[in-house]
Amino acid sequence: MSSKQQAVRARPSAGWALLGSELSVLFRRWRTWAMLAALAAIPVLIALAVRLSSRDPGPGQGPPFLDRVTQNGLFIALTATVVSIPLFLPLTISVVAGDAIAGEANLGTLRYLLAAPAGRIRLLAVKYAAAVAFCITAALTVVTAGMLIGVALFPVGPVTLLSGDTISVGESVLRLLLIAGYVSLSLAGLAAIGLFISTLTEVPVGAMAATAVLAVVAQILGALPQLDWLHPWLFTHHWVGFADLLRQPISWDAFAANALLQGGYIALFCTLAYGRFASKDVLS
Amino acid sequence: MSAGSTGDLPSGELAIETQGLTKRFGHQTAVDHLDLAVPHGSVFGFLGPNGSGKTTTIRVLLGLAAATDGHARVLGQEMPAALREVLPRVGALIEGPAFYPFLSGAANLHRLDAADRHAPSATRRARVREALERVGLSHAAGKKVRAYSLGMKQRLGIANALLMPRELLVLDEPTNGLDPQGTREVRSLVRSLAAGGTTVFVSSHLLAEVEQICTHAAIMSAGKLVAQGTVEGLRRGGEQRVTLTTPDLGEADRVLRGLGLSPAGVGSAANGMVTAPLADGILPEQIVAALVAEGVRVRGFAVENSTLEERFVALTGEGFDIVQ
Ligand SMILES: Nc1ncnc2c1ncn2[C@@H]1O[C@H](COP(=O)(O)OP(=O)(O)OP(=O)(O)O)[C@@H](O)[C@H]1O
Ligand SMILES: [Mg+2]
């Protein structure tokens, strides 16, 4: 018995295996790939619509940057990102983050993970890390699919920035990846909110819907001028504020402000999730 | 039979020990001042009707739910404070198996094993294969759990408990949904694990089975412990019964009543059977002597201990309705 005891107690590993397992479960799910495919379809649909229509979009018509797509295919990525930010991206993040704990509770696997023992804090950390990984993947999917379809259907060349300067194709791609990073950061705040909501219920669909509704409500509140005192505190406040990244030289102000805001939301809601989950009775 | 007597082991040798353990859900008391004592190395049957608080007790023992009151020690350490040291040494099946339906059986075990920081990743593949083999699932290892039958999921749940060498196995209704082969297999599995020194704490409704594999048992009723001890002791705690085979039913009945017993006869007049609970102070040999003296032809006579089932029903009531 004592040798067995020692064998079991010998040097616990750092526990990265659980993160690896979480990511592999996430990306082995059909649902995850369906959502990424839907996100990739957005730039493709935009590109096809522009390509197949007989007349070019006039200046200022349609979503931002759409009028420049026919001159430079890289703008598809930008248009698709702007179009996806209010609803499609938050929706997919809500599904992944809302499912984090509630989904495990619903399947009953939560009790087995905790009895393994995964450790409640570690499980929460792993779940959040996986949700952030999905945020990055989702943002990159939109941007990358946009670039690829843009290259395939339209001419591509140096890009004229908002500031009037022109940058090379290579640098344009870097700027687009930077925007994907900005969007991922924005979504990481929403993921923290989703994680917290997910600890409140055993019904994953409820947590997903509640998270998505919050994202939409925050944007509606952000559009009401009567509530302008509230706007800087809304987690959606900087969501579309990445135009600064399209100036020469780059202005990092919006990035910094967004990082501060999202950091605050992440800290707050991860703490709330911990407070709720650390002492919760797991009865599912 | 008083609660708390668990054979002759000192209290330092308890694998599970609870004192005044209480769990309330709102104003319903699911577990009510439970004093459980599970000796090291025992196969301990945890019995009770539906809703008597068995699963709730197991959840509290494993740190999934917090006790409202009282203490629980598992493998000598206070729970849930020592959860991280204790749980790697405990294998568990809690209220039925639960898995990711979109993963294969083997992938499910890989995931749950990865959750345990004490489980070495180098041996993971081999341990998963071995656990699947032990429950007879080798051939279905690559199949999605969505396509598993109830019994296959149950076997996979047991395999999960066996991924690592354990000092304590907590199995909540392990044979639920298993075919007769599976049931036998689990029984022999439990025996072999117990022979290897593992303490097995098994909740069940199948009393005949508990009687076969358990050394100790506890009986719950409406959240309270109504009996605890060795299986032998529990059975002895019940009444004994005499069974008489005789063609002279009427005469036998009269003699037994004369001795103060309350007999019940069955069978034909040619060769009927009479059974009667053995009353205090009357020895079996006195009954036989009295029968023979009165000319009753005794063709068979036996003294039987009550079965665990009879004890169970006597302690938890005949009623079919759930006690709240
Ligand atoms: N999540 C919960 N919320 C409220 N009450 C609960 C909850 N879980 C269990 N209970 C109550 O606690 C009592 C004990 O339930 P428990 O599941 O422990 O019974 P059990 O002995 O395992 O029954 P079974 O043999 O049917 O598995 C029951 O009366 C049940 O209604
Ligand atoms: Mg139960």
Side-chain angles (χ1 to χ4, degrees):
Chain A
M1 180 65 69
S2 73
S3 69
K4 193 185 278 178
Q5 210 158 313
Q6 270 157 14
V8 172
R9 283 171 162 199
R11 23 158 235 300
S13 64
W16 290 105
L18 184 57
L19 180 59
S21 158
E22 182 63 36
L23 289 173
S24 98
V25 167
L26 178 62
F27 286 104
R28 248 195 274 182
R29 288 192 84 158
W30 182 87
R31 185 180 76 187
T32 307
W33 289 103
M35 290 194 300
L36 292 177
L39 287 175
I42 293 167
V44 173
L45 286 178
I46 293 172
L48 287 177
V50 173
R51 190 84 179 89
L52 298 179
S53 78
S54 49
R55 60 193 171 85
D56 287 352
Q61 275 188 339
F65 310 110
L66 191 67
D67 50 342
R68 299 167 73 168
V69 162
T70 44
Q71 293 116 54
N72 196 333
L74 288 179
F75 277 100
I76 287 284
L78 218 47
T79 308
T81 306
V82 175
V83 167
S84 318
I85 280 178
L87 190 62
F88 298 115
L89 279 169
L91 214 53
T92 59
I93 304 313
S94 301
V95 168
V96 171
D99 197 43
I101 300 295
E104 300 280 357
N106 184 253
L107 286 176
T109 42
L110 184 56
R111 63 176 184 269
Y112 285 107
L113 286 173
L114 293 181
R120 295 190 182 214
I121 300 171
R122 190 161 70 107
L123 185 60
L124 217 46
V126 160
K127 284 290 180 183
Y128 186 62
V132 169
F134 182 80
C135 292
I136 296 169
T137 313
L140 276 179
T141 300
V142 175
V143 169
T144 313
M147 288 194 287
L148 292 179
I149 194 76
V151 169
L153 296 186
F154 299 100
V156 167
V159 172
T160 309
L161 294 175
L162 300 175
S163 54
D165 300 271
T166 302
I167 55 171
S168 68
V169 173
E171 191 174 354
S172 312
V173 171
L174 281 182
R175 295 282 176 110
L176 285 172
L177 292 179
L178 201 57
I179 287 173
Y182 182 96
V183 173
S184 309
L185 178 65
S186 301
L187 296 173
L190 178 65
I193 297 174
L195 181 73
F196 169 61
I197 295 176
S198 189
T199 61
L200 301 178
T201 171
E202 287 168 14
V203 187
V205 178
M208 296 172 192
T211 311
V213 164
L214 269 185
V216 171
V217 167
Q219 291 178 81
I220 293 172
L221 295 181
L224 296 178
Q226 291 83 352
L227 296 175
D228 54 0
W229 53 270
L230 180 67
H231 293 173
W233 302 100
L234 293 171
F235 62 95
T236 50
H237 187 56
H238 296 292
W239 272 16
V240 285
F242 51 75
D244 277 2
L245 299 175
L246 296 175
R247 291 178 206 287
Q248 188 76 314
I250 287 187
S251 160
W252 293 97
D253 294 352
F255 208 117
N258 193 26
L260 192 65
L261 181 71
Q262 301 303 334
Y265 269 94
I266 293 169
L268 175 64
F269 280 92
C270 284
T271 309
L272 286 175
Y274 164 75
R276 166 70 183 158
F277 188 55
S279 57
K280 186 189 186 188
D281 277 359
V282 174
L283 300 169
S284 58
Chain B
M1 173 70 25
S2 68
S5 64
T6 53
D8 44 15
L9 284 153
S11 70
E13 290 290 313
L14 294 175
I16 299 175
E17 184 182 15
T18 71
Q19 278 152 10
L21 193 73
T22 303
K23 178 68 185 176
R24 278 189 210 99
F25 294 112
H27 45 243
Q28 189 194 347
T29 308
V31 179
D32 194 356
H33 292 93
L34 178 64
D35 298 319
L36 210 55
V38 179
H40 248 302
S42 63
V43 178
F44 195 100
F46 193 41
L47 313 173
N50 292 134
S52 57
K54 303 182 297 293
T55 301
T56 305
T57 305
I58 288 173
R59 283 183 192 277
V60 173
L61 289 176
L62 297 177
L64 292 173
T68 311
D69 200 7
H71 294 278
R73 291 172 74 80
V74 177
L75 296 174
Q77 286 179 281
E78 201 72 28
M79 288 293 274
L83 194 136
R84 288 206 276 170
E85 292 91 75
V86 172
L87 288 187
R89 296 150 65 195
V90 180
L93 180 71
I94 314 146
E95 195 159 57
F99 294 103
Y100 305 90
F102 48 87
L103 294 183
S104 71
N108 266 289
L109 293 190
H110 271 273
R111 169 151 176 85
L112 291 174
D113 196 61
D116 180 2
R117 288 171 58 196
H118 296 258
S121 55
T123 56
R124 184 160 297 141
R125 194 167 291 279
R127 285 183 292 110
V128 165
R129 189 170 356 96
E130 198 183 318
L132 286 168
E133 217 161 275
R134 279 186 101 164
V135 298
L137 274 182
S138 296
H139 293 298
K143 203 172 184 168
K144 295 258 188 294
V145 167
R146 195 197 311 282
Y148 273 28
S149 70
L150 173 65
M152 288 163 80
K153 284 185 202 150
Q154 188 77 11
R155 287 168 187 245
L156 192 61
I158 296 170
N160 170 48
L162 301 176
L163 279 172
M164 290 280 283
R166 313 283 193 185
E167 289 167 59
L168 171 66
L169 276 182
V170 177
L171 302 175
D172 195 1
E173 297 178 34
T175 55
N176 192 16
L178 290 188
D179 53 26
Q181 289 89 336
T183 311
R184 278 169 60 108
E185 213 47 57
V186 165
R187 232 183 283 147
S188 77
L189 197 65
V190 166
R191 283 206 191 95
S192 76
L193 288 164
T198 305
T199 308
V200 184
F201 182 78
V202 49
S203 97
S204 182
H205 300 151
L206 304 175
L207 298 160
E209 190 172 291
V210 167
E211 223 164 354
Q212 282 185 51
I213 60 170
C214 292
T215 57
H216 294 69
I219 300 178
M220 298 277 287
S221 177
K224 291 199 178 68
L225 189 68
V226 289
Q228 171 169 239
T230 61
V231 169
E232 197 47 45
L234 282 174
R235 260 198 247 117
R236 234 184 296 117
E239 60 193 1
Q240 289 187 308
R241 247 186 345 207
V242 295
T243 306
L244 169 68
T245 315
T246 175
D248 308 319
L249 276 182
E251 189 66 7
D253 191 80
R254 195 183 57 75
V255 174
L256 290 175
R257 283 186 198 284
L259 287 168
L261 303 176
S262 28
V266 280
S268 66
N271 205 359
M273 292 226 295
V274 182
T275 64
L278 193 56
D280 282 341
I282 301 177
L283 295 173
E285 55 266 36
Q286 291 174 330
I287 299 174
V288 180
L291 287 166
V292 173
E294 294 292 326
V296 176
R297 290 167 286 172
V298 178
R299 290 190 176 154
F301 187 83
V303 184
E304 289 165 345
N305 278 324
S306 55
T307 63
L308 205 52
E309 179 166 332
E310 287 160 338
R311 272 305 271 160
F312 183 84
V313 172
L315 287 164
T316 59
E318 288 273 3
F320 177 64
D321 288 343
I322 301 287
V323 183
Q324 285 292 319

